[in-house]
Amino acid sequence: MNKNDKDIWFPAMKYGIGWGLPATWQGWIVFLVYIVLVIIGVLFIKRSPWLVIPFIIYVFILTGILLFICWKKGEKPELRWGKRL
């Protein structure tokens, strides 16, 4: 990790680009709130199937917010190939 360990909510993945599972309780709260909000959206779409397009927009917005938080509170996203030799 290249930032202070206390500042990193989402560590970088060992392989590939992006972030792994949260490393702090704050990260877990953000992740669980995201999951709960998506599930609430699924419950609404079960009641009214004509809400498919608004649901897709809703999930895109939630995912954008999650990615923004990961960008701000996570390690720098870069292509990784595991341990450096």
Side-chain angles (χ1 to χ4, degrees):
M1 290 187 202
N2 53 6
K3 291 184 185 177
N4 290 340
D5 288 345
K6 293 181 181 180
D7 292 342
I8 302 291
W9 291 5
F10 299 93
M13 291 175 44
K14 187 174 180 181
Y15 299 101
I17 299 174
W19 301 276
L21 289 175
T24 63
W25 67 270
Q26 295 98 331
W28 280 107
I29 295 295
V30 168
F31 184 66
L32 291 175
V33 166
Y34 172 79
I35 297 296
V36 167
L37 289 174
V38 169
I39 290 172
I40 289 171
V42 168
L43 295 177
F44 275 110
I45 201 165
K46 278 184 155 183
R47 297 169 85 196
S48 302
W50 55 272
L51 290 174
V52 172
I53 300 300
F55 174 73
I56 292 171
I57 294 169
Y58 173 73
V59 171
F60 271 112
I61 291 170
L62 287 179
T63 303
I65 293 169
L66 178 65
L67 288 175
F68 177 76
I69 293 171
C70 288
W71 186 274
K72 288 296 192 182
K73 294 306 231 173
E75 287 186 278
K76 180 182 173 188
E78 58 186 32
L79 184 59
R80 297 174 192 266
W81 295 98
K83 280 191 167 182
R84 294 181 185 212
L85 299 175

